[in-house]
């Protein structure tokens, strides 16, 4: 490039403009309704997802995001309390020039490998009193698109979850996405902690979306523990935070997981819960006037779900480079133990399998309270060899028969000796239940899980228990 050429002079001009102080554009608040703030004076510069700084009457700065437009005004939702905001409050944006337009910079995150062992807020602020978070070399968008479906790598080999009931009945491959469906108080948080500790992975990313504030420290210190936290990044947005923060907790956790996946690592993403993420989306949509469609959920909620969930899974398949994987488990808090409610039904159709926790199993004393007949992994056929598949099939068949006949046996309706299969189930079901019971401090690998189950299914073992 010649020194006096037009291209050279343009490059010099860009360098000079780069050191100038950033331009700021100002508008003002003209109304507040519910969770929505109406801003005027900036509509010509704004677009959906842009960020603003709102100044309250007591001088505090409140971050906000543009979520819609109405009658020429921008509808903004805040990331913090609306206290102190009112008509006339200044609204400021810090735009940037790009090659196409004059617009504000959307949300980005500079993730660093040194975030391991840290507890952070959705806006990447530390919550663990361990000092500021290091900044990574590359900044990546929080609301990114899923990888191109035609360029993604295939699922990896099977992953050892460390939990017997899951290893046997819902075997999983690296890069698979599963849903954990449960009502409140059935033990899903404890099961999540077991997976965070024991799953075969390089990095675990845990998102606590809309969690009770009292339970955050209990989960981190008691359930996750020091060993689990060392290889984890925990993103927290408690139930009292604004809906934007709860929504961003899910996207921030996904962005952190993508950072480690793109380094070729095996990542475990645990999100508790997608239901509260959908509740935050519902609050946002209703605040801008979107009509509810299905049990109070606007249509945009079900359009947003796959944009988040599809980002998990294998990374891009690049020749000569290892493809990273995000093995994701999303908890779904089913309303009134109704596993067919709209959110649960939509999520089940997107994911690669589902794990169902049953309250009655937990009440009977077996934890994890996984309903093996109601749970499914869509990759089970490619995870198990023939011997393991036979063990899983036979165990499931015995439990299925007991589900049909158990009540008759307990009531004395069944006549002893009239059916050999039922007699076998009477002898083996207590042994199977004993194997499926596992404390949160107990880890069992894939091989031992099947070895223990196969041992009690052996004919000589069954006959010994009969005598």
């Amino acid at each position: 490039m010649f020194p006096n050429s037009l291209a050279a002079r343009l490059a010099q001009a860009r360098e000079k403009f780069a050191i100038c102080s950033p331009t700021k554009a100002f508008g003002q608040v003209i109304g507040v309704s519910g969770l929505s703030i109406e801003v005027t004076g900036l509509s010509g510069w704004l677009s959906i997802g842009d960020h603003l700084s709102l100044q309250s009457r007591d001088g505090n700065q409140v971050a906000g995001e543009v979520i819609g437009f109405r009658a020429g005004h921008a509808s903004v939702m805040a990331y913090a309390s609306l206290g102190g905001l009112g008509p006339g409050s200044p609204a400021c944006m810090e735009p940037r020039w790009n090659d196409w337009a004059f617009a504000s910079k959307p949300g980005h995150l500079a993730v660093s490998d040194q975030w391991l062992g840290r507890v952070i807020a959705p806006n990447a602020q530390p919550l663990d009193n361990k000092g500021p978070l290091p900044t990574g070399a590359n900044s990546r968008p929080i609301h990114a698109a899923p990888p191109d479906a035609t360029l993604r790598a295939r699922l990896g080999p099977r992953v050892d979850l460390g939990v017997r009931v899951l290893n046997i009945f819902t075997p999983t491959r690296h890069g698979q996405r599963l849903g954990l469906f449960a009502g409140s108080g059935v033990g899903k948080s404890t099961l999540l902690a077991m997976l965070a500790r024991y799953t075969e992975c390089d990095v675990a990313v845990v998102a606590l979306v809309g969690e009770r504030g009292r339970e955050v420290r209990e989960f981190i210190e008691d359930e996750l523990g020091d060993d689990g936290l060392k290889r984890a990044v925990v993103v927290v947005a408690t139930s009292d935070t604004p809906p934007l923060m709860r929504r961003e907790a899910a996207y921030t956790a996904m962005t952190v997981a993508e950072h480690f996946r793109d380094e070729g690592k095996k990542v475990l993403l645990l999100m508790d819960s997608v239901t509260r993420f959908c509740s935050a989306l519902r609050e946002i949509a209703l605040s801008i006037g979107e009509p509810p469609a299905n049990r109070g959920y606007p249509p945009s909620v079900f359009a947003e779900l796959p944009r988040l969930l599809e980002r998990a899974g294998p990374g891009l398949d690049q020749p000569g480079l290892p493809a990273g994987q995000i093995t994701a488990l999303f908890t779904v808090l089913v309303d009134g133990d109704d596993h067919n409610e709209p959110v649960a039904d939509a999520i089940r159709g997107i994911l690669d399998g589902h794990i169902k926790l049953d309250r009655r199993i937990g009440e009977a004393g077996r934890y994890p309270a996984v309903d093996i007949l109601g749970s499914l992994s869509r990759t089970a056929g490619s995870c198990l060899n023939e011997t393991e598949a036979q063990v899983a099939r036979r165990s499931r068949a015995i439990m299925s028969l007991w589900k049909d006949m158990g009540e008759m046996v307990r009531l004395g309706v069944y006549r002893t000796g009239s059916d050999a299969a039922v007699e076998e189930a009477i002898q083996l079901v207590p042994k199977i239940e004993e194997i499926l019971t596992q404390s949160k401090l107990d880890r069992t690998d894939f091989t031992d899980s099947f070895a223990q189950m196969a041992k009690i299914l052996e004919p000589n073992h069954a006959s010994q228990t009969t005598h």
Side-chain angles (χ1 to χ4, degrees):
M1 185 167 52
F2 295 103
N4 292 324
S5 66
L6 178 60
R9 284 181 285 169
L10 284 174
Q12 293 174 0
R14 283 179 179 272
E15 292 177 0
K16 292 180 179 179
F17 277 118
I19 63 175
C20 295
S21 59
T23 303
K24 293 184 179 181
F26 290 88
Q28 65 176 356
V29 175
I30 60 172
V32 179
S33 177
L35 301 175
S36 179
I37 306 163
E38 298 295 319
V39 173
T40 188
L42 293 172
S43 299
W45 307 110
L46 295 174
S47 58
I48 298 294
D50 285 344
H51 288 184
L52 296 175
S53 177
L54 308 171
Q55 184 173 340
S56 63
R57 301 194 192 281
D58 54 8
N60 292 326
Q61 299 294 322
V62 179
E65 179 182 318
V66 178
I67 58 173
F69 295 91
R70 184 185 302 162
H73 305 305
S75 295
V76 178
M77 186 169 283
Y79 283 94
S81 171
L82 302 183
L85 292 175
S89 296
C92 173
M93 65 177 291
E94 296 186 0
R96 63 181 175 90
W97 286 98
N98 59 27
D99 293 336
W100 303 101
F102 189 52
S104 67
K105 187 177 182 179
H108 280 64
L109 206 60
V111 186
S112 168
D113 291 355
Q114 298 179 51
W115 288 16
L116 290 176
R118 301 300 301 270
V119 181
I120 66 174
N123 57 0
Q125 295 300 310
L127 297 176
D128 51 11
N129 296 319
K130 295 181 180 179
L133 285 176
T135 302
N138 299 316
S139 180
R140 52 195 312 135
I142 296 176
H143 294 265
D148 191 324
T150 61
L151 301 178
R152 298 186 85 155
R154 296 174 64 91
L155 294 176
R158 71 185 185 189
V159 53
D160 186 357
L161 300 175
V163 181
R164 290 188 290 271
V165 64
L166 302 184
N167 279 341
I168 297 172
F169 296 105
T170 56
T172 304
R173 295 172 62 180
H174 283 290
Q176 189 171 342
R177 302 161 305 167
L178 291 168
L180 177 60
F181 296 77
S184 58
V186 189
K188 65 180 182 304
S189 295
T190 302
L191 180 55
L192 280 181
M194 293 174 68
L195 291 169
R197 280 189 204 163
Y198 302 141
T199 299
E200 174 197 355
C201 66
D202 300 318
V203 176
V205 180
V206 182
L208 302 179
V209 183
E211 187 60 83
R212 303 174 187 90
R214 176 189 61 81
E215 296 183 351
V216 171
R217 281 192 63 184
E218 293 178 2
F219 178 85
I220 295 172
E221 297 176 4
D222 300 338
E223 304 292 351
L224 193 57
D226 292 338
D227 292 338
L229 186 60
K230 285 178 183 178
R231 62 169 186 172
V233 180
V234 182
V235 183
V236 177
T238 53
S239 59
D240 59 310
T241 56
L244 277 184
M245 291 293 276
R246 283 177 269 137
R247 183 200 68 181
E248 290 301 282
Y251 283 112
T252 296
M254 186 66 72
T255 305
V256 173
E258 288 173 332
H259 164 80
F260 290 104
R261 178 189 65 188
D262 292 346
E263 292 184 341
K265 295 181 178 178
K266 298 175 182 177
V267 183
L268 174 68
L269 173 63
L270 302 174
M271 189 174 295
D272 184 19
S273 71
V274 180
T275 306
R276 296 190 181 109
F277 167 75
C278 291
S279 297
L281 294 179
R282 176 172 59 184
E283 293 176 46
I284 295 169
L286 293 177
S287 69
I288 59 174
E290 187 177 348
N294 197 347
R295 291 200 190 179
Y297 288 97
S300 63
V301 173
F302 300 100
E304 191 72 18
L305 264 178
R307 297 192 189 109
L308 173 71
L309 303 183
E310 286 289 349
R311 289 170 61 179
L316 294 177
D317 194 359
Q318 304 179 52
L321 296 176
Q325 308 276 356
I326 298 178
T327 306
L329 199 145
F330 304 95
T331 70
V332 183
L333 184 63
V334 293
D335 186 16
D337 290 344
D338 179 10
H339 290 264
N340 294 317
E341 56 95 15
V343 170
D345 201 41
I347 294 172
R348 193 160 40 238
I350 299 171
L351 301 180
D352 306 317
H354 53 272
I355 301 167
K356 178 182 176 183
L357 299 187
D358 192 302
R359 190 177 304 277
R360 290 173 297 179
I361 294 176
E363 290 171 349
R366 194 251 283 172
Y367 285 97
V370 176
D371 178 6
I372 63 174
L373 301 179
S375 303
L376 171 71
S377 170
R378 291 191 170 95
T379 64
S382 59
C383 288
L384 307 178
N385 58 39
E386 183 57 33
T387 302
E388 293 167 341
Q390 288 179 358
V391 170
R393 282 196 300 267
R394 187 163 176 231
S395 303
R396 194 183 292 268
I398 292 171
M399 297 299 287
S400 178
L401 178 62
W402 181 252
K403 182 179 179 180
D404 294 335
M405 300 297 296
E407 193 66 25
M408 297 179 64
V409 173
R410 285 189 289 267
L411 293 175
V413 177
Y414 170 75
R415 188 173 60 186
T416 303
S418 59
D419 190 313
V422 176
E423 294 295 323
E424 181 185 49
I426 293 173
Q427 299 299 325
L428 294 183
V429 165
K431 298 292 184 181
I432 294 176
E433 293 282 1
E434 183 179 351
I435 285 180
L436 300 184
T437 301
Q438 185 173 346
S439 74
K440 64 181 182 181
L441 301 178
D442 177 22
R443 184 189 189 281
T444 306
D445 64 27
F446 208 97
T447 303
D448 286 345
S449 299
F450 278 94
Q452 292 182 34
M453 184 64 74
K455 183 177 180 180
I456 71 164
L457 295 180
E458 293 174 358
N460 58 344
H461 186 276
S463 62
Q464 289 173 5
T465 57
T466 302
H467 297 300

